[in-house]
Amino acid sequence: MKKLTLQFFDYHSWANKQLIEHLSKLPKEVMNKEVNSVFPSISHIFAHMYAVDELWFLRISGKSVNSIESKPFKTIQEINDAFTDLHNEMLKFLGLKDDLEQPVIYTNTKGERFRNSIREIVYHIVNHGTYHRGNIAAMIRQLGYQGVSTDYIYYLRNTDKE
């Protein structure tokens, strides 16, 4: 189960990198262009995704945190660096954990207490990222550009995962 959980998290990182790399090839203004969507711009979605990943990482690493500020990124390089650093730190943490079924007790943003395993939280992080990468894909199309495939099957086809 640990191997699959780590693979799913690796997929999450890979998919974000694919999208970031694709966006780096588009005109710079695409990142901050206002679009009528779930968030006002692609950079706002990335800021939200990063804040959520960081929030969950802090929770699974034993820090008591109920919310975290979402600061929009200014450049695609800033997004890349932030996600790369956080995901490397998270992957290292998860790799060192002997038991991903270890419970995490946390308080959500509404003040409610919950209990989930580290594994369940990692699956949530991956699912949350997939949802918002879909938002970004739609925004890219609305702005008149082609998207990039970040589905799990593409990850499996493009990596040496068993």
Side-chain angles (χ1 to χ4, degrees):
M1 192 62 96
K2 180 177 178 176
K3 182 178 177 182
L4 182 59
T5 303
L6 292 174
Q7 183 176 344
F8 278 151
F9 188 78
D10 189 57
Y11 155 68
H12 176 62
S13 297
W14 173 88
N16 284 340
K17 287 176 189 170
Q18 293 297 114
L19 189 52
I20 290 166
E21 183 179 312
H22 178 69
L23 285 162
S24 73
K25 297 173 185 169
L26 300 180
K28 289 180 184 178
E29 60 270 11
V30 167
M31 288 299 301
N32 295 302
K33 182 98 173 153
E34 293 249 344
V35 177
N36 187 14
S37 188
V38 178
F39 286 86
S41 71
I42 291 171
S43 65
H44 278 85
I45 294 178
F46 272 116
H48 168 74
M49 289 170 60
Y50 180 84
V52 170
D53 282 9
E54 184 179 32
L55 175 73
W56 283 112
F57 178 56
L58 292 170
R59 286 176 177 164
I60 66 175
S61 60
K63 312 248 182 345
S64 178
V65 60
N66 298 338
S67 65
I68 201 157
E69 188 180 339
S70 176
K71 300 174 226 157
F73 293 102
K74 291 181 175 66
T75 67
I76 195 71
Q77 188 62 50
E78 191 179 345
I79 293 168
N80 183 62
D81 293 347
F83 274 95
T84 298
D85 292 346
L86 179 61
H87 287 178
N88 285 342
E89 197 175 339
M90 289 174 77
L91 202 52
K92 181 179 176 184
F93 173 85
L94 293 169
L96 294 174
K97 286 303 253 184
D98 291 329
D99 182 14
L100 296 182
E101 296 306 315
Q102 176 184 339
V104 176
I105 298 168
Y106 59 93
T107 304
N108 72 0
T109 56
K110 296 176 184 174
E112 302 164 322
R113 288 179 59 81
F114 291 95
R115 175 190 189 109
N116 291 96
S117 71
I118 293 172
R119 178 187 53 78
E120 290 168 332
I121 291 169
V122 170
Y123 288 3
H124 169 70
I125 291 168
V126 174
N127 187 58
H128 179 259
T130 299
Y131 172 79
H132 286 301
R133 284 187 296 273
N135 295 148
I136 293 170
M139 292 171 90
I140 290 170
R141 281 189 221 103
Q142 279 181 273
L143 293 168
Y145 299 97
Q146 289 268 210
V148 63
S149 295
T150 59
D151 291 338
Y152 183 63
I153 199 71
Y154 291 101
Y155 162 79
L156 293 173
R157 291 174 185 167
N158 290 289
T159 60
D160 292 331
K161 305 299 172 203
E162 297 173 12

